[in-house]
Amino acid sequence: MKEVIVLIGNYGSGKTELALNFAFQAANQGKKVELLDLDMVNTYFRLTDRTGLIKSKQIRLVSPNFVHSSVETLSLPAEVASAFALDWDTVIFDVGGDPAGATALGRYREDFDALPEGSLTVLNVVNTRRPMAGTPERLIHLMEGMERHSRQKVTGFVNNTNLARMANADDLRDGYEVVREASE
């Protein structure tokens, strides 16, 4: 059965790095992997920036049209449909960092609904040190907006709380408590 993982979350939560790591792990297990960059919000860090590494792992990458061009408007390529139509073992979606960014995912609701039960996981990636994500109430508010716009239900949280190179174990523990409270 095809495994489909959708990563949503606030700006700077680490969705793209997690998407890469999930894809690499699946590829290292010999799985056929497709990685889709649906982040229409943050154009500063894209999966396309890692094209060489992604191709070296024999992972297919689908990115918005006009990425790394002088055109400022991004659009979704028709190849997104391949996530549902082709025979992949693992498909990973990296989705925009706010409710408006999650709207790109909503366009594919019927395709997601047609997946076999148990094949879809929607993870809300959380860095409680990012603006707008420091309390359980804020996390729930962000999550509800992303669910509404993406037309998908979050099935779990990923605590990715950090302050880049300044992070310590206390940051991760504090983030865990906030995420735990939001989960409850």
Side-chain angles (χ1 to χ4, degrees):
M1 176 169 61
K2 182 185 297 188
E3 173 187 34
V4 179
I5 302 168
V6 175
L7 300 170
I8 64 173
N10 196 15
Y11 299 104
S13 63
K15 296 177 304 292
T16 300
E17 286 295 332
L18 281 172
L20 282 169
N21 282 288
F22 284 161
F24 293 162
Q25 181 180 23
N28 289 340
Q29 294 170 355
K31 295 179 180 178
K32 287 175 42 181
V33 181
E34 184 171 55
L35 183 56
L36 295 104
D37 183 352
L38 296 190
D39 191 342
M40 307 295 283
V41 176
N42 183 358
T43 60
Y44 298 108
F45 183 68
R46 307 211 61 89
L47 288 167
T48 309
D49 296 336
R50 305 286 177 86
T51 299
L53 184 57
I54 291 168
K55 285 184 179 179
S56 77
K57 300 283 188 179
Q58 299 181 357
I59 297 168
R60 181 169 190 255
L61 175 63
V62 175
S63 290
N65 295 318
F66 309 115
V67 167
H68 294 306
S69 72
S70 59
V71 178
E72 291 189 26
T73 301
L74 298 177
S75 63
L76 295 174
E79 289 111 331
V80 173
S82 66
F84 305 100
L86 299 181
D87 190 27
W88 302 104
D89 297 315
T90 303
V91 175
I92 300 159
F93 287 85
D94 177 16
V95 182
D98 66 359
T103 301
L105 196 63
R107 184 257 177 257
Y108 301 98
R109 180 182 185 172
E110 290 178 9
D111 297 302
F112 284 108
D113 288 348
L115 291 171
E117 179 133 357
S119 63
L120 175 62
T121 303
V122 180
L123 298 174
N124 185 356
V125 181
V126 175
N127 179 348
T128 61
R129 297 300 193 237
R130 299 297 297 164
M132 301 174 8
T135 68
E137 297 77 21
R138 287 179 177 173
L139 291 182
I140 291 167
H141 177 74
L142 283 168
M143 181 187 72
E144 288 171 343
M146 287 184 279
E147 285 179 332
R148 191 170 42 259
H149 287 81
S150 71
R151 301 166 73 185
Q152 296 298 320
K153 286 300 263 178
V154 168
T155 58
F157 284 102
V158 174
N159 177 19
N160 194 36
T161 298
N162 70 83
L163 289 166
R165 294 183 179 173
M166 296 175 12
N168 60 45
D170 290 335
D171 294 316
L172 194 56
R173 275 191 290 277
D174 292 346
Y176 168 79
E177 287 303 321
V178 172
V179 172
R180 184 187 56 74
E181 286 181 46
S183 293
E184 290 174 355

